[in-house]
Amino acid sequence: MPVMDGYTFLDRIKNDAEMALIPVIVMTQSDSEADEVAALVHGATDFVPKPYRPQVILHRAASLIKLRETAAMVNQVQYDRLTGLYSKEFFYQKVRERLEEHPETAYTIICSDIENFKLYNDTFGLEAGDRLLKHVADGLRTVVGEDCICGRYGADCFLSLRETGQERQDRVQLFSEESAHCPEMIEKVSVKRGIYEITDRSIPVERMCDRALLAVNSIKGHYGQLYAVYDDALRGKLLREKAITDAMESALAEEQFVVYLQPKYSLTNERIAGAEALVRWLHPKWGVICPSEFIPLFERNGFIPRLNEYVWRQVCMLLRGWMQKGYPLVPISVNVSRADAYRSNLAEMLLDLTRECDVDPSLLHLEITENAYSENPGRVVSTVEQLRKAGFVIEMDDFGSGYSSLNMLSQMSLDILKLDIRLVQNEIAKPADQSILNDIISMAHRLHLTVVAEGAETREQLNRLRAVGCDYVQGYFLARPMSAGQFEAFMRKNARPPASRGKQKKELSLG
C-alpha cells in the first residue's frame, strides 16, 4: 500500500479507542507461520492465507461478528455506556469478589450523589448534564486509583469501594481532589457522599450500598456538609423518620394533630392580644412527638401543605366556637409554608374556608417566612397581594434570621413584622447603645408595621422591648404554648376587646 503497510495499519487502529473495536481479518498470499504470528501480534483478529475459500471466509466472518456482538452485549451489562464505570449489578459482583479474595482487609463503600442534578439538567440541558456526569465519573476514577472499584448506582449517583484505613486517612482530601477534577461542577452543583464502613460481611452487598445511599440522603440540603457516615444512630434516625412518614396519613385522618396556642401580649397593658397556632402530634403509642422532629420531615416529603390546611381549619373552627360562646375574639396567626405560598389558588382556598366557618379573614393572620420569598419572590409577592386584598393580615415571620428580610420589606406589602427569637435575645444581651433593635423597630413603624418580638423569657427583656417601642411580645415569661381549653380560660380573664378595622395599623394587627 502506498501510505502504510498492513502492520502499520493494524498498529494505528489498535491505538484508536473506537477503531480498535472493529475486528480485522488479514488476508495474504503468504502462508508462513511467521507472517501469521506477526499479524496477530499487531492486533489482527484472524489470518486467512491464499488460496481463499469463500465459504470458509464467510463462516469465519460470521463467527467473528457474532462473537463481537456477544461481547458488546456483555459489555453493556457490565459497564455504564455514558461514564464507562461498572454497572450497578456488575459493581455488586466485583465487590463480592474483592471481599472474598481479601477476607482480612477492611473496606468502605462510598456513595457520591450530585445534589440538585435535575435542576442542573433543566437549566443547562441534557448534554451539559451528561458532560457533568462524565466529569464526576472521571474525577472519581482518577482519585480513587486503578485498584479501587467504581460503579454508577443511578442517574446521578456513583459507588466506589476503597480500603477503610486509606479512606479514613485522606477522607476530606479525597473529596476535595475529586471535585478539583470536575471544574464544571464547582460553581453549579455540589457532590455529597455517604460512607458505609463494612463491618458485617454477612450483609448482602446490595444492602451495604443502600446504607451508603441512606447516609448521603441524610445530608441532602445541608449546606457545607460534605459527607455522612452510616452508623447505628443514623440507622435509628432513618427508621424513626420512616415510621413517622408511614403514620402521618392515619394521624391526620384520626386527628392526632392538636392545635396549641401561645398567647401574644400587648406591651401597653400586658394583656392577651392574640395567639400563634402551633401544632402538636399526640400519638397513641409514642406520646407527644416534638414539632422539630416531624415538621422538617413533612417539609421535605411534601406533606406540610396538607397539615397546614388541617391547622387552618381547626383554627377557624376555634374562632367560630368562641363567637358562638360569646368569648372575646383575638386573631390567631397560622403558618404558611413555602409550598403553600406558591399555590395560585391560596387566597381563594382560604377565603372559602373563612366563609364556610363564618370567620372574618382579618382574624386569621398568615405568617410567611423569608425562605418562601427567597426562592421565587415574584410569585410570593403576587400571592401576598391577593391575600391582603381578601382581608387577611400578613405577618413576616422570623425577621432577621436570614439575608432576604430587607428585600421582603422593600418589595412586599405587609402588616406585621415578627422579630426572630435569636435576633431578639442577641440584641437584648448587648448594651442599649450597641443594639440595633431600636433601629429595626423604628424602621418598621415608619413603614406602618406592627412589631411582635419572640422569645421574651425574663422581666428585664420585657422591659427592654417596651423601652425600644416594641408593640407586642410572646415568650415563656408570659405564657407557654397551651391547649385550646387552657387558652380560652386565659382569654376570658385577660383579653381586651378587639379593635375595629378602622383603628389600623397598631391596634388592628393583634386584635
Side-chain angles (χ1 to χ4, degrees):
M1 294 185 293
V3 178
M4 66 185 78
D5 61 21
Y7 296 136
T8 305
F9 171 77
L10 289 170
D11 289 337
R12 292 282 294 273
I13 68 168
K14 185 170 63 176
N15 292 324
D16 184 285
E18 292 186 357
M19 296 291 288
L21 298 174
I22 302 173
V24 176
I25 301 175
V26 173
M27 302 166 63
T28 177
Q29 294 183 11
S30 173
D31 62 352
S32 70
E33 184 179 342
D35 287 337
E36 183 175 0
V37 170
L40 295 174
V41 167
H42 284 275
T45 309
D46 202 354
F47 183 88
V48 181
K50 288 184 178 180
Y52 304 141
R53 288 177 290 177
Q55 291 302 318
V56 172
I57 293 175
L58 286 173
H59 282 293
R60 284 193 177 187
S63 297
L64 283 173
I65 291 171
K66 184 176 181 180
L67 181 63
R68 285 303 175 100
E69 287 178 343
T70 302
M73 291 174 64
V74 171
N75 190 68
Q76 285 185 1
V77 171
Q78 294 182 347
Y79 296 92
D80 174 61
R81 293 180 62 184
L82 178 66
T83 64
L85 300 179
Y86 288 137
S87 66
K88 180 171 66 174
E89 290 75 15
F90 199 56
F91 176 84
Y92 293 158
Q93 180 180 327
K94 299 296 286 186
V95 170
R96 290 189 200 100
E97 293 172 358
R98 181 66 62 86
L99 295 179
E100 290 173 2
E101 292 168 1
H102 303 277
E104 302 302 322
T105 305
Y107 287 100
T108 291
I109 291 177
I110 303 172
C111 180
S112 301
D113 184 270
I114 305 175
E115 195 163 40
N116 296 324
F117 179 70
K118 185 180 183 302
L119 178 62
Y120 185 96
N121 255 349
D122 293 343
T123 305
F124 300 102
L126 296 178
E127 290 186 6
D130 286 347
R131 288 197 301 272
L132 176 62
L133 291 171
K134 291 178 182 178
H135 277 308
V136 175
D138 291 343
L140 179 64
R141 189 164 30 216
T142 301
V143 171
V144 301
E146 295 182 1
D147 189 49
C148 296
I149 302 172
C150 300
R152 188 177 178 190
Y153 188 59
D156 59 339
C157 198
F158 302 89
L159 293 168
S160 58
L161 180 78
R162 301 193 79 218
E163 291 189 17
T164 298
Q166 181 184 4
E167 187 277 326
R168 283 183 183 174
Q169 185 176 359
D170 59 0
R171 182 172 290 171
V172 176
Q173 181 182 359
L174 167 71
F175 296 154
S176 60
E177 287 180 358
E178 184 183 328
S179 297
H181 285 275
C182 312
E184 186 175 348
M185 79 177 201
I186 292 175
E187 296 182 0
K188 307 294 191 307
V189 294
S190 64
V191 176
K192 304 288 189 181
R193 286 106 182 161
I195 299 169
Y196 175 67
E197 297 178 350
I198 301 173
T199 56
D200 183 358
R201 299 198 178 204
S202 66
I203 297 174
V205 171
E206 293 86 347
R207 192 179 302 172
M208 296 177 184
C209 296
D210 287 344
R211 291 185 173 185
L213 180 64
L214 287 172
V216 76
N217 286 340
S218 71
I219 56 170
K220 281 188 176 181
H222 294 235
Y223 178 78
Q225 192 168 350
L226 289 176
Y227 63 88
V229 180
Y230 182 92
D231 56 18
D232 289 339
L234 176 60
R235 179 175 181 272
K237 177 177 179 291
L238 294 172
L239 289 174
R240 172 73 169 177
E241 288 185 354
K242 185 180 186 305
I244 288 175
T245 301
D246 290 343
M248 63 189 186
E249 292 280 358
S250 58
L252 191 64
E254 297 169 8
E255 297 189 356
Q256 295 174 14
F257 296 104
V258 178
V259 172
Y260 271 51
L261 300 171
Q262 184 172 23
K264 297 178 183 178
Y265 284 80
S266 167
L267 280 173
T268 303
N269 54 24
E270 295 189 15
R271 299 182 67 183
I272 293 178
E276 178 183 4
L278 305 168
V279 65
R280 297 289 184 265
W281 186 351
L282 307 183
H283 193 278
K285 293 183 179 179
W286 304 334
V288 179
I289 304 176
C290 183
S292 61
E293 185 177 8
F294 65 84
I295 293 294
L297 180 59
F298 290 172
E299 288 175 340
R300 292 197 301 270
N301 67 21
F303 190 69
I304 196 68
R306 291 185 58 191
L307 178 61
N308 282 344
E309 287 182 29
Y310 171 86
V311 171
W312 300 340
R313 178 170 294 277
Q314 295 297 312
V315 167
C316 286
M317 291 172 63
L318 272 177
L319 289 167
R320 183 177 64 181
W322 293 347
M323 286 189 293
Q324 292 172 345
K325 296 175 183 177
Y327 294 163
L329 296 179
V330 293
I332 300 178
S333 302
V334 296
N335 184 62
V336 174
S337 72
R338 176 173 51 193
D340 295 321
Y342 294 161
R343 295 189 193 184
S344 58
N345 66 336
L346 179 62
E348 181 181 353
M349 183 182 67
L350 284 167
L351 265 180
D352 288 344
L353 178 60
T354 54
R355 288 170 183 152
E356 178 186 338
C357 296
D358 192 25
V359 171
D360 192 318
S362 65
L363 290 172
L364 198 63
H365 290 197
L366 308 177
E367 295 186 354
I368 298 178
T369 57
E370 69 168 336
N371 68 349
Y373 171 84
S374 60
E375 290 192 4
N376 194 336
R379 171 68 67 84
V380 176
V381 169
S382 174
T383 299
V384 166
E385 288 177 356
Q386 296 175 23
L387 291 168
R388 294 190 81 239
K389 286 180 182 178
F392 295 99
V393 176
I394 307 300
E395 299 185 9
M396 178 182 176
D397 195 19
D398 297 334
F399 179 85
S401 62
Y403 301 101
S404 302
S405 299
L406 291 176
N407 284 335
M408 282 185 71
L409 280 183
S410 65
Q411 298 185 28
M412 190 182 299
S413 297
L414 302 166
D415 299 293
I416 298 172
L417 192 66
K418 194 169 184 181
L419 305 182
D420 181 69
I421 184 172
R422 287 160 295 186
L423 173 69
V424 171
Q425 294 182 347
N426 289 340
E427 292 302 315
I428 285 178
K430 299 176 183 177
D433 59 349
Q434 298 178 18
S435 172
I436 63 171
L437 205 55
N438 184 57
D439 301 307
I440 292 174
I441 293 173
S442 297
M443 174 189 65
H445 287 165
R446 286 197 301 273
L447 295 173
H448 308 291
L449 300 177
T450 299
V451 180
V452 180
E454 296 180 304
E457 297 180 352
T458 66
R459 169 60 67 179
E460 180 184 358
Q461 292 175 346
L462 207 66
N463 292 337
R464 177 78 174 273
L465 288 167
R466 182 186 289 109
V468 295
C470 186
D471 302 302
Y472 299 93
V473 68
Q474 66 183 84
Y476 283 3
F477 176 74
L478 293 166
R480 292 175 175 268
M482 60 189 71
S483 68
Q486 292 172 321
F487 183 83
E488 288 179 7
F490 263 67
M491 184 174 58
R492 289 196 300 271
K493 293 179 180 178
N494 301 311
R496 59 179 171 76
S500 66
R501 293 282 291 179
K503 297 180 70 175
Q504 302 179 25
K505 282 285 186 181
K506 280 206 173 185
E507 292 302 319
L508 162 69
S509 299
L510 286 164

